[in-house]
Amino acid sequence: MKNVIFIAPPAAGKGTISDYLVKNFDYVHLSTGDMLRNEVASGSLLGKEIDALISKGALVSDELIIKLVESKLKNELFGKLFILDGFPRTLPQAEKLDEMLISMGVTNNVVIYLDVTLEEATKRAVGRIVCPKCSRSYNVYYKEASPLVEGICDDCGVALEKRSDDTEETFKKRYQTYLDSTSPIINYYKQKGILESINVMRTQNEVAKDILSVINDENVSVKRRKSD
Ligand code: AMP
């Protein structure tokens, strides 16, 4: 199976698909958004600086995020099957990631672009509620994505929270940041021939089927399931 690198507009469903892959296969999930939110939650000075950027829909600096990801990749993800969720988000990040992967000898990768309209992504962001313990996300606008008990995580039993950047106003800025800084990466990977595009505005089963077909280098989807 291939390592997965997600490129997507905000709230396209990177986290939800990552959860699915972690639950069913041997993937390790690295979400740069979660990493940054953990730093914010720690109350550190750096966390305060990060919070100011996230809350206004801006990106943290390439220098900082590359340093954080490089350390994780080399120390925790090396030798494992991994998902990068939220990195790279700029062209310099993508170029640096290539350099890191080459230096680590990691070549079996697929970049997955999640295709979603602005309208749908806005609905997914504004309706999203997240578990502060396990980061699982739910959505109040979709019955199939709602928790069993209103406002409570199915897995952890703790109260769900709204992300500070999931308001309609901040979402608009995040989307614009995506158009300006992240969308150019799509061409970068297209030219390298490793980009797969998946329409995520379909049922979870349909999306899962497409994901499986692009992460498998052989026809082994069922055999490699964790539960088997
Ligand atoms: P996410 O959880 O992926 O939606 O990320 C939440 C926020 O964290 C983004 O809107 C950015 O402010 C910040 N962030 C996450 N990943 C990156 C990255 N690779 N580069 C810069 N900022 C990032």
Side-chain angles (χ1 to χ4, degrees):
M1 290 183 116
K2 296 178 181 172
N3 298 306
V4 174
I5 299 160
F6 280 124
I7 305 291
K14 298 179 269 112
T16 305
I17 299 173
S18 299
D19 286 349
Y20 163 79
L21 291 176
V22 169
K23 274 197 184 126
N24 290 282
F25 304 97
D26 291 324
Y27 278 99
V28 179
H29 176 211
L30 179 67
S31 155
T32 46
D34 283 348
M35 262 166 73
L36 295 171
R37 282 184 288 276
N38 286 341
E39 190 62 42
V40 172
S42 78
S44 68
L45 202 62
L46 177 63
K48 288 192 169 64
E49 287 168 24
I50 292 170
D51 191 32
L53 292 166
I54 291 182
S55 313
K56 64 176 183 196
L59 298 179
V60 308
S61 73
D62 285 338
E63 196 191 354
L64 171 66
I65 202 79
I66 286 169
K67 209 164 110 191
L68 293 174
V69 171
E70 189 163 26
S71 147
K72 288 268 180 193
L73 259 183
K74 295 195 169 157
N75 298 314
E76 290 173 35
L77 303 188
F78 188 62
K80 298 190 176 137
L81 192 58
F82 61 80
I83 303 166
L84 293 185
D85 160 358
F87 184 93
R89 256 181 160 102
T90 64
L91 217 42
Q93 290 179 21
E95 287 163 354
K96 185 65 193 180
L97 177 62
D98 273 353
E99 235 181 86
M100 291 190 260
L101 294 177
I102 288 168
S103 78
M104 290 162 66
V106 177
T107 52
N108 199 19
N109 312 307
V110 60
V111 178
I112 304 181
Y113 166 64
L114 302 181
D115 194 4
V116 65
T117 60
L118 168 59
E119 192 189 9
E120 176 65 20
T122 306
K123 196 171 164 195
R124 290 183 185 192
V126 176
R128 174 160 57 187
I129 38 175
V130 184
C131 174
K133 195 167 167 205
C134 72
S135 301
R136 180 169 168 186
S137 76
Y138 300 83
N139 196 298
V140 296
Y141 294 141
Y142 301 90
K143 198 165 175 281
E144 68 281 10
S146 296
L148 298 171
V149 178
E150 197 183 324
I152 303 292
C153 178
D154 294 352
D155 297 332
C156 309
V158 304
L160 298 168
E161 294 175 354
K162 208 167 160 46
R163 273 172 50 171
S164 65
D165 59 348
D166 273 343
T167 61
E168 202 161 344
E169 198 196 345
T170 308
F171 186 79
K172 274 190 197 141
K173 292 182 193 147
R174 288 165 65 201
Y175 197 84
Q176 192 56 48
T177 303
Y178 161 77
L179 292 179
D180 296 341
S181 305
T182 308
S183 68
I185 313 178
I186 296 170
N187 260 339
Y188 175 82
Y189 284 118
K190 221 182 241 170
Q191 279 162 11
K192 287 183 175 284
I194 55 167
L195 186 85
E196 298 284 350
S197 178
I198 292 182
N199 172 2
V200 288
M201 293 184 298
R202 295 171 302 146
T203 65
Q204 286 184 355
N205 277 349
E206 285 169 329
V207 173
K209 207 169 145 217
D210 279 4
I211 294 279
L212 291 185
S213 78
V214 300
I215 61 173
N216 273 318
D217 18 29
E218 319 129 58
N219 230 354
V220 290
S221 60
V222 180
K223 279 188 223 146
R224 295 288 299 269
R225 271 177 188 270
K226 257 187 188 170
S227 51
D228 288 349

